[in-house]
Amino acid sequence: MADKTLATFRIEPEKWESFKALATSNDSTASAVLLQFIDNCLDAKKILSTSSTLNANYSLDNIEVLIDKRIEEILTPSLDKTEALIDKRIEESLAASLTEVRSQLEELRGKLKAR
């Protein structure tokens, strides 16, 4: 494992608890969110959330990208569930149809034997 530095900072307890709860509600941890934020800043080679850069980052193009990303984050799980439900219903329908066709086939075979 690579050497790592333990970073500490001071924050009001209520803010920290709220932040941890927010991270948890987004299937993450406070540490993971902070590490991702640091990685994003380093990739962009700038701090992404100070008020002076915040306005610059929210040009129409950036807003469109952020909206598209958020829509994808929201819709993808829903679409995946819908797709799985559709697949399940198709399988059930095909199985029922196959059962019905087999039943009709057996009925026809019975009639042919009776002739």
Side-chain angles (χ1 to χ4, degrees):
M1 182 162 114
D3 289 335
K4 296 197 177 200
T5 297
L6 175 63
T8 59
F9 58 96
R10 297 196 184 278
I11 185 171
E12 292 86 3
E14 302 82 27
K15 280 186 180 181
W16 182 242
E17 292 305 317
S18 294
F19 182 71
K20 290 192 308 184
L22 180 61
T24 300
S25 72
N26 284 279
D27 297 323
S28 191
T29 64
S31 294
V33 171
L34 291 172
L35 290 171
Q36 186 61 54
F37 172 74
I38 291 168
D39 287 342
N40 292 345
C41 289
L42 293 173
D43 289 346
K45 297 186 179 9
K46 61 183 173 183
I47 303 299
L48 299 174
S49 69
T50 63
S51 59
S52 62
T53 59
L54 189 59
N55 292 334
N57 286 332
Y58 287 106
S59 69
L60 290 179
D61 290 337
N62 288 343
I63 289 173
E64 184 178 352
V65 169
L66 291 171
I67 290 171
D68 288 346
K69 182 178 177 184
R70 186 65 180 134
I71 288 171
E72 184 177 334
E73 289 171 354
I74 292 169
L75 291 182
T76 298
S78 178
L79 292 174
D80 289 344
K81 288 179 185 176
T82 302
E83 183 179 16
L85 184 59
I86 289 170
D87 288 347
K88 181 180 175 187
R89 295 288 192 254
I90 289 172
E91 288 175 14
E92 290 171 351
S93 179
L94 288 174
S97 294
L98 183 58
T99 300
E100 179 65 26
V101 167
R102 284 181 176 152
S103 173
Q104 290 174 357
L105 183 60
E106 288 302 316
E107 186 179 322
L108 287 172
R109 284 182 179 153
K111 288 180 180 179
L112 284 174
K113 286 182 181 178
R115 286 184 174 188

